[in-house]
Amino acid sequence: MNPRPAGPPVLLAHGIGSQHDLPVSPFYAFAGAFAALFVSFLALGLLWSTSRFRGDRSGLALPAGLQRVADAPATRTALRGLGLAAALAVLLHLLLGPDDPARNPAPGAVYVLLWVGLVPASLLLGPVWCLLNPLRTLHRLLCRARRRPPEAGRPLPPGLGQWPAAAGLLAFTWLELVSPDPASTTTLLTALICSTALHLLLAARYGEAWFTSADPFETYSVLLARLSPLGRREDNRLVLRNPFHGLDATPERPGLVAAVCVLLGSTAYDGYSDNPSWINATQTSPLGRVPTATLGLLGSIALVAALYCLCAGATRLVSGPHPRPLTAFAHSLVPIALGYLIAHYFSLLVTEGPRTVSMALGTDNGPEPGPPLRPGALAALQVIAVVTGHVLGVIAAHDRSVRLFPPAKAVAGQLPLLALMITYTVGGLTLLLN
């Protein structure tokens, strides 16, 4: 998010702006990125000839006592209560607090603590939003009042997959990045009421399984948790695992590609939306700012998706037919999305996160938070996050390729994926460095 001078400091509800003129040489940044990608690709092709990731069949079981505590009804009830209490606190601040994000913690709670805070929380603890989700808790309370099991309902439509969650992610990112006044209490209240009513009505029809497919924050948390060292084995044991095993276990569901492309494309749009030339284009467009910005957001997501679909098609031509050409390698996009999220939102979380908490507790009387790192260190962190995400994506794609295709075609089939990773890397670094 960018600071906007207007009297007291104002928290913009629009993600985070790019850090322009970072003290990193573009030549060294691009050269290092290309070297990392090519070296990892060559090393994998020469040394990695069989699949090593075992999905949800792997992991070192944690002590049974720890699992009993984690799965205890009291623990889960406490977490559900915590999520519901936090949601009610946000609602009260929206209803009773000032319509000023510099004095109301609700916008920061939504756009910083929830949207950005779920990244480290899911990486460290797993899919935490599945337990904290206040919509699930409200659904359970309504079902208890009706004396109906929360899972009762009609079967979800075949092929629904994660398409509703992808649509929800798009709606949230539009609210955050495009809507006229995203930090307004009226805007947030309207979005909160409409979203809650829609999800509860559909959960009443389809049961609790609706949230697994349709809740955007659950899908977001679950995808990020695929790279967590904590996970569940197929026998439901709580385990410590190599994060690549968790990533490999990502279900190939309809809508998975769309959900990941929304994350990638919206983060890319956030990176260039504060560019002076784009701001001028939206302000002078005959369509108006909101329609132009909407087209920019949709175009960014469509470009990310089109490049991936072209890559999937080229892989199929090189390596041979595959029954799921689009979803087979979609999991390799998750670490790339994570790298972009860290690069773009790290500063926001460590500066605005504590300020939001202090404001909620009524102790926001200290000085304005400063930058978490020096410009050089921040630039290095951003470049490393983007490049590391792409290298991890190359590794995940290679392991899947040697599992699916004959050895003679496995490496050649990854050339389109390598081209895709390079294209995404160029785009990501360009947004950071320009």
Side-chain angles (χ1 to χ4, degrees):
M1 293 188 187
N2 299 324
R4 175 174 58 187
V10 176
L11 176 67
L12 288 186
H14 122 220
I16 182 174
S18 302
Q19 181 90 5
H20 296 294
D21 299 321
L22 291 174
V24 168
S25 165
F27 172 80
Y28 289 116
F30 284 111
F34 293 155
L37 288 172
F38 277 113
V39 168
S40 60
F41 176 79
L42 292 175
L44 291 168
L46 292 173
L47 304 175
W48 197 311
S49 58
T50 58
S51 176
R52 303 184 184 187
F53 303 146
R54 296 182 290 120
D56 56 9
R57 301 186 306 277
S58 68
L60 176 65
L62 291 173
L66 181 60
Q67 175 148 357
R68 282 195 296 271
V69 172
D71 292 341
T75 302
R76 292 175 176 260
T77 300
L79 291 174
R80 293 189 187 103
L82 177 63
L84 185 60
L88 291 175
V90 170
L91 179 62
L92 287 175
H93 280 291
L94 289 174
L95 289 171
L96 306 176
D99 192 8
D100 179 1
R103 297 185 294 123
N104 192 326
V110 173
Y111 295 120
V112 181
L113 298 182
L114 175 58
W115 180 243
V116 185
L118 270 181
V119 176
S122 301
L123 285 177
L124 293 174
L125 303 173
V128 291
W129 192 247
C130 296
L131 289 176
L132 294 172
N133 190 350
L135 295 179
R136 278 188 183 264
T137 305
L138 287 174
H139 172 69
R140 285 174 171 255
L141 292 175
L142 291 173
C143 287
R144 180 175 296 181
R146 298 170 59 190
R147 297 183 179 179
R148 175 185 177 184
E151 63 274 7
R154 299 184 181 185
L156 291 170
L160 183 70
Q162 293 178 304
W163 282 107
L169 287 169
L170 176 59
F172 178 81
T173 53
W174 182 91
L175 176 72
E176 179 193 19
L177 303 174
V178 175
S179 63
D181 195 1
S184 161
T185 55
T186 302
T187 299
L188 281 173
L189 266 175
T190 302
L192 179 64
I193 292 171
C194 291
S195 174
T196 299
L198 177 64
H199 281 289
L200 290 180
L201 284 172
L202 289 168
R205 180 180 180 86
Y206 294 110
E208 201 171 31
W210 169 257
F211 298 110
T212 303
S213 290
D215 188 283
F217 297 106
E218 281 203 11
T219 295
Y220 178 54
S221 180
V222 168
L223 282 175
L224 295 173
R226 292 291 170 189
L227 287 164
S228 172
L230 283 176
R232 296 275 180 174
R233 216 164 47 193
E234 60 183 358
D235 60 1
N236 204 40
R237 283 301 302 271
L238 191 63
V239 296
L240 281 176
R241 65 186 181 191
N242 179 341
F244 278 113
H245 293 296
L247 185 63
D248 186 65
T250 304
E252 297 180 33
R253 305 180 64 197
L256 172 63
V257 174
V260 180
C261 287
V262 169
L263 290 177
L264 280 170
S266 62
T267 307
Y269 177 79
D270 192 13
Y272 71 77
S273 63
D274 70 334
N275 187 284
S277 59
W278 177 251
I279 293 174
N280 181 65
T282 58
Q283 291 177 343
T284 59
S285 171
L287 296 175
R289 192 199 74 84
V290 171
T292 304
T294 300
L295 290 175
L297 174 62
L298 294 176
S300 180
I301 295 170
L303 178 60
V304 169
L307 290 173
Y308 175 76
C309 291
L310 287 173
C311 169
T315 299
R316 187 173 185 178
L317 288 175
V318 173
S319 299
H322 186 270
R324 298 180 302 276
L326 287 180
T327 56
F329 294 94
H331 70 299
S332 66
L333 298 181
V334 175
I336 300 174
L338 174 62
Y340 285 158
L341 288 167
I342 293 173
H344 282 273
Y345 296 124
F346 169 78
S347 295
L348 175 67
L349 181 62
V350 298
T351 55
E352 295 296 343
R355 194 174 78 88
T356 298
V357 173
S358 297
M359 199 187 311
L361 297 176
T363 59
D364 187 34
N365 53 7
E368 283 296 305
L373 296 173
R374 293 181 179 274
L378 178 60
L381 172 66
Q382 291 177 319
V383 172
I384 290 170
V386 170
V387 175
T388 301
H390 286 84
V391 171
L392 297 181
V394 168
I395 295 172
H398 177 84
D399 188 86
R400 182 64 56 87
S401 182
V402 297
R403 180 189 305 170
L404 296 178
F405 303 124
K409 296 183 178 181
V411 175
Q414 291 178 71
L415 291 175
L417 290 165
L418 178 63
L420 178 71
M421 301 298 179
I422 291 174
T423 303
Y424 283 168
T425 302
V426 170
L429 292 181
T430 300
L431 289 175
L432 287 175
L433 300 175
N434 291 315

